[in-house]
Amino acid sequence: MKRIVAHNKKIEIIEDELPKLAGKPSYVLIKTLYSVISPGTELTILSNSENKQVHLGYSAMGEVVECGSDITDVKKGDLVACYGAPYVHHDEYLLVPKTLYAKVPDSVDPKEAALGGLGAIAIHALRIAKLQFGETAVIVGLGVLGQLIAKIANAAAYNVIAYDLHESRVEMLKGENIKAFSSVEEMEEAIRVETKSRGADAVLLCTGGKRSPLTHECLKWIRTKGKAVIVGDIEPDFPRSLMFGKEAELLISRAGGPGRYDSVYEREAIDYPYEYVRWTEGRNVEEYIRLIKEKRIDVRAFISEVVELEDAPKEFEKLLDKESTTLTQLIHYK
């Protein structure tokens, strides 16, 4: 099978062996139909690939071609969305544990389902923020993840205020009853007006760039006892005086939810008890699929650019250009 890897800071397509289901009763073998390029994460991987070969990708969907003996919720021919490296990559075939996929209904566009991993990350970020109905959430950074968070927060009836430097990204949220701005001053005025000068309940930082002045600025935007949630690749550099002055809560959102990086949950495919861990990364993928099925959110703007597998390397180079404003692309597998 073919797979896309980063090698010496370049994108390559290599041939590899087909994954084998033997000895894995709780796994399914999937023929990939679409996988999603995540520019932020994959740019970092690409830049760290000198003198080594690194696999890319973590969100995809495809058709089940074979099931392990313990699989009861899907069968051969079903479509599933799946999430999480090292089980999900830009590969023609994927071997995925039952805790990391969700069945895709016939009414859901397969391309939209491919965003399931990103959807799970966005949903988990909002869960970490612990917002209640009607509270004000400020989303900073409107890449594909920030866009998804803003849309899901709006669907949950939070009062959403969004900000990004790129006017084109701000425009993508116009018309959805989301207050979005490309000017910090305008965003700050919206926070003042919407909260009667009390401050937002939470700010979710979805930007990259490691050290960012936004970690200082965002504390000015939240209310006393408000929350700052790190979602993007930012160092948690927060001044003590502002943290102390507002008794602010600093939270870090890790990937798609409980279970991520736990070998028992992922590799051994042993789920957490539903009554004790209501929302795992797998159940967050399911929730994203529900939102799409019920048309609670519209992600069609994210799936307008589709590239064939053999053309992916050159498209990666364009997409990973730091000057690019493209949010993401889908890779299609024949």
Side-chain angles (χ1 to χ4, degrees), residues 92-112:
E92 285 188 297
Y93 287 87
L94 304 168
L95 192 59
V96 180
K98 65 181 181 181
T99 48
L100 294 179
Y101 68 74
K103 187 174 179 180
V104 177
D106 293 339
S107 58
V108 171
D109 184 336
K111 294 190 288 294
E112 295 182 26

Side-chain angles (χ1 to χ4, degrees), residues 140 184 187-188 191 199-200 214 217-223:
V140 179
V184 171
M187 178 197 66
E188 289 178 336
I191 295 171
L214 291 173
E217 290 299 310
C218 77
L219 294 178
K220 301 174 184 177
W221 305 333
I222 60 174
R223 63 174 171 82

Side-chain angles (χ1 to χ4, degrees), residues 205 210-220 228 230 234-239 242-243:
L205 297 173
K210 292 294 184 181
R211 297 194 178 277
S212 170
L214 291 173
T215 55
H216 290 230
E217 290 299 310
C218 77
L219 294 178
K220 301 174 184 177
I230 295 180
I234 298 176
E235 289 294 330
D237 177 25
F238 291 86
L242 285 173
M243 292 284 289

Side-chain angles (χ1 to χ4, degrees), residues 32-74:
T32 311
L33 297 179
Y34 296 98
S35 65
V36 180
I37 298 174
S38 177
T41 300
E42 295 182 45
L43 175 59
T44 301
I45 294 173
L46 182 62
S47 64
N48 293 328
S49 65
E50 190 169 357
N51 298 320
K52 59 183 176 181
Q53 191 178 90
V54 188
H55 298 234
L56 295 170
Y58 60 83
S59 183
M61 67 78 57
E63 180 181 344
V64 175
V65 294
E66 191 177 357
C67 297
S69 58
D70 290 346
I71 300 298
T72 58
D73 57 341
V74 295

Side-chain angles (χ1 to χ4, degrees), residues 275-293:
E275 57 271 30
Y276 293 108
V277 185
R278 177 63 181 88
W279 293 108
T280 61
E281 57 180 328
R283 291 194 266 276
N284 281 336
V285 174
E286 290 178 347
E287 179 61 10
Y288 166 80
I289 296 299
R290 184 186 74 86
L291 292 175
I292 295 298
K293 177 185 176 183

